[in-house]
Amino acid sequence: MIRTGYKDVKNHILSQIRKNIWPPGSSLPNEVDMAVTLGCARATISRAMRELVDEGVLERKRKAGTKVKASPTRRAQFTIPIIREEIEKNGATYRYDLVKRNILDAPDWLSSRLSLPKYNRVLQLRCMHYAGNAPYQLEDRWINLSAVPHAETFAFKTLGPNEWLVKEVPFTDGSLEFSATNATPYVAAFLNLPENAAVFTSERTTWLNNQNVTYAKLYFKRDYKMTTFL
Amino acid sequence: MIRTGYKDVKNHILSQIRKNIWPPGSSLPNEVDMAVTLGCARATISRAMRELVDEGVLERKRKAGTKVKASPTRRAQFTIPIIREEIEKNGATYRYDLVKRNILDAPDWLSSRLSLPKYNRVLQLRCMHYAGNAPYQLEDRWINLSAVPHAETFAFKTLGPNEWLVKEVPFTDGSLEFSATNATPYVAAFLNLPENAAVFTSERTTWLNNQNVTYAKLYFKRDYKMTTFL
DNA sequence: TAGTGGTCTAGACCACCCC
DNA sequence: GGGTGGTCTAGACCACTAA
């Protein structure tokens, strides 16, 4: 081995774990020792271990040292796709359609979910996303006009609110929920599904400095699967 | 500001983006220049930018430089919970029940999914996980006995296969899929749901050096939501 | 081929917190 | 208190690739 890089160190650690030389819960050598053993700088060991912590393999505490996680709760990363890109990546033609556009005071359920004051005006949008001619996703979108006033002047006839927001409005925090829901007649009609079909559903809320920007509920096409790797 | 740390650099970059000084698609200064501007070492800038790439905010190419991602595909991380821990975290009592245990040659659909040879023996397990007395998850588990022969001698009467595997069998790769399915009568009975109810479903496959270890399909309780943050 | 990021080093000081 | 990780520095060389 000519040079020991941080990737070599990561592989070394992982292989020791797989060989059960460092079983779950056990302690690893400290950074200085391991640097000597492997013949590299301490910073190299440090980076390797830091990344393994990010990946959920190790745990570190000052003074206590570095240990193999007892229950290796691996972390998975997934990227939230822009729907146009997801569809086009699969070789289909993306088509967007605005179904409804409406300005109103936020209904109660929305106000409480987003901590909005009473009589807060919101822009409601319903949109369909198609892959070729097949329905792909129904988007139920609410935009807080107090936070994003210039959304009111945008038509959303050809560009979807997701893409528009992503380019126009930055955010600081957000949450994402996934669940399964039975298709209401309304949803079923748009997605061309039998009533009560199981629909993969995603709800997204985003915030900019403690002010809510938008809430969206997305209903995916039949048999949609979200995939990620470990 | 006495010292500029990599976190300060990250915040600085993010705030420039939020102020639209560096809009999506635009180029940032190179590492050396930014180090001079902010008065810190190049390595500090480098780490800050590297983490922002991991978070899906920036894109970097050698020679071309660093840019704000045009479509900021934020990445979300979620931890795959050990089900016992998830239930106990919510203050409920975890209970496990083995419903079925069976050894057989892998059925065709499984063989093709896992690239198993013909007549490959597998261990099939059906398990229920309860939160208190309420059903929480039905687990349909298949373990490749060629890869994990000693699973055959383990009873799985009190310890679930997930926890057992996590501690006994390391893996190198895996995939995770989420979807929504309609409850079959069988699933509905175990989860105490109406027939055809929408069920949040997760499928997990893990590999150790190109050999499949296990495949599991998990059916979650009614109204289960998987949550993550951005 | 020149400019940019990617990585490594050796040393240093600091912050945390278990013993 | 002392051992451990957390971070920063200044400099160096390398690897990639757009121009």
Side-chain angles (χ1 to χ4, degrees):
Chain A
M1 191 182 314
I2 302 297
R3 202 183 51 187
T4 307
Y6 78 97
K7 287 178 185 168
D8 300 315
V9 177
K10 283 177 71 170
N11 287 332
H12 174 252
I13 293 172
L14 286 171
S15 89
Q16 298 292 95
I17 292 173
R18 282 188 202 117
K19 289 179 197 156
N20 222 36
I21 295 172
W22 294 335
S26 65
S27 284
L28 272 59
N30 69 35
E31 293 190 345
V32 177
D33 290 349
M34 195 178 288
V36 173
T37 306
L38 299 184
C40 65
R42 189 190 148 208
T44 305
I45 304 290
S46 186
R47 175 163 180 193
M49 286 184 168
R50 193 193 324 130
E51 293 199 357
L52 289 173
V53 170
D54 286 342
E55 291 163 23
V57 177
L58 301 178
E59 277 177 328
R60 319 189 78 185
K61 273 185 212 158
R62 298 176 182 204
K63 167 77 177 180
T66 303
K67 297 183 178 177
V68 181
K69 258 198 159 183
S71 25
T73 312
R74 296 283 289 250
R75 284 182 201 164
Q77 254 197 357
F78 60 93
T79 56
I80 301 121
I82 304 281
I83 185 161
R84 153 181 275 126
E85 292 171 3
E86 184 174 43
I87 288 171
E88 290 176 348
K89 198 183 60 193
N90 294 333
T93 305
Y94 171 73
R95 190 160 61 81
Y96 164 79
D97 191 26
L98 179 62
V99 175
K100 177 178 180 179
R101 185 186 196 282
N102 191 18
I103 290 176
L104 69 166
D105 286 335
D108 287 344
W109 65 268
L110 188 65
S111 295
S112 68
R113 184 180 249 274
L114 306 183
S115 318
L116 297 178
K118 247 194 177 288
Y119 308 121
N120 191 100
R121 290 170 74 242
V122 294
L123 173 62
Q124 177 194 11
L125 299 165
R126 282 221 173 101
C127 325
M128 274 300 300
H129 305 272
Y130 296 89
N133 287 320
Y136 194 89
Q137 183 192 84
L138 172 62
E139 174 177 3
D140 217 336
R141 168 76 61 176
W142 303 77
I143 298 175
N144 176 4
L145 288 174
S146 307
V148 196
H150 61 303
E152 187 164 352
T153 63
F154 192 80
F156 296 104
K157 286 225 166 123
T158 58
L159 183 68
N162 190 6
E163 282 184 83
W164 184 83
L165 284 164
V166 143
K167 282 172 188 160
E168 293 285 323
V169 186
F171 64 93
T172 49
D173 306 282
S175 76
L176 202 49
E177 297 177 313
F178 301 100
S179 57
T181 55
N182 285 102
T184 60
Y186 187 84
V187 170
F190 275 105
L191 291 177
N192 196 20
L193 295 174
E195 200 169 317
N196 273 328
V199 178
F200 188 78
T201 306
S202 149
E203 289 167 276
R204 180 167 174 171
T205 313
T206 61
W207 305 76
L208 177 61
N209 303 324
N210 301 320
Q211 186 176 39
N212 178 268
V213 172
T214 181
Y215 165 76
K217 189 160 183 173
L218 311 175
Y219 302 89
F220 286 82
K221 67 166 183 164
R222 172 159 231 167
D223 297 331
Y224 179 82
K225 285 191 184 188
M226 187 177 76
T227 301
T228 183
F229 298 92
L230 302 179
Chain B
M1 194 183 311
I2 302 298
R3 201 183 53 188
T4 307
Y6 78 95
K7 288 177 184 169
D8 301 315
V9 177
K10 284 177 70 171
N11 287 332
H12 175 251
I13 293 172
L14 286 171
S15 88
Q16 298 292 96
I17 293 173
R18 283 188 203 117
K19 289 180 198 156
N20 222 35
I21 295 171
W22 294 334
S26 64
S27 285
L28 272 59
N30 70 34
E31 293 190 346
V32 178
D33 290 348
M34 195 179 289
V36 172
T37 306
L38 299 185
C40 64
R42 189 193 148 206
T44 304
I45 304 290
S46 187
R47 176 161 178 192
M49 286 185 167
R50 193 192 325 131
E51 293 199 357
L52 289 173
V53 170
D54 285 342
E55 291 162 23
V57 177
L58 301 179
E59 276 177 328
R60 320 189 77 186
K61 273 186 211 158
R62 296 173 146 131
K63 168 77 175 180
T66 303
K67 298 184 178 175
V68 181
K69 260 197 159 182
S71 28
T73 312
R74 294 287 285 254
R75 283 180 201 165
Q77 248 196 1
F78 62 94
T79 56
I80 301 124
I82 305 279
I83 186 164
R84 152 180 277 126
E85 292 171 4
E86 184 174 42
I87 288 172
E88 290 176 347
K89 199 183 59 193
N90 294 333
T93 306
Y94 172 73
R95 190 160 61 81
Y96 164 78
D97 191 27
L98 178 61
V99 175
K100 177 177 180 180
R101 186 186 197 280
N102 191 17
I103 291 176
L104 69 166
D105 286 334
D108 287 346
W109 65 268
L110 188 65
S111 296
S112 68
R113 184 181 249 275
L114 306 184
S115 317
L116 297 178
K118 247 197 179 290
Y119 309 121
N120 190 101
R121 291 169 73 242
V122 295
L123 173 61
Q124 178 195 12
L125 300 165
R126 283 222 174 102
C127 324
M128 274 300 299
H129 304 272
Y130 296 89
N133 288 318
Y136 194 89
Q137 184 192 82
L138 172 63
E139 174 177 4
D140 217 335
R141 168 76 62 173
W142 304 77
I143 298 175
N144 177 4
L145 288 173
S146 306
V148 196
H150 60 303
E152 187 164 353
T153 63
F154 191 80
F156 296 105
K157 287 224 166 125
T158 58
L159 183 69
N162 190 5
E163 283 185 83
W164 184 83
L165 284 163
V166 144
K167 282 173 188 159
E168 293 284 323
V169 186
F171 63 93
T172 49
D173 305 284
S175 75
L176 202 49
E177 297 177 313
F178 301 100
S179 58
T181 56
N182 285 102
T184 60
Y186 187 84
V187 170
F190 274 106
L191 292 177
N192 196 20
L193 295 175
E195 200 168 318
N196 272 328
V199 178
F200 188 78
T201 306
S202 150
E203 290 169 275
R204 180 167 175 172
T205 313
T206 60
W207 305 75
L208 177 60
N209 302 324
N210 300 322
Q211 185 176 40
N212 177 268
V213 172
T214 182
Y215 165 76
K217 190 160 184 174
L218 310 175
Y219 303 88
F220 286 81
K221 65 164 184 164
R222 172 156 230 168
D223 297 331
Y224 179 83
K225 285 193 182 186
M226 189 177 75
T227 302
T228 183
F229 297 92
L230 300 178

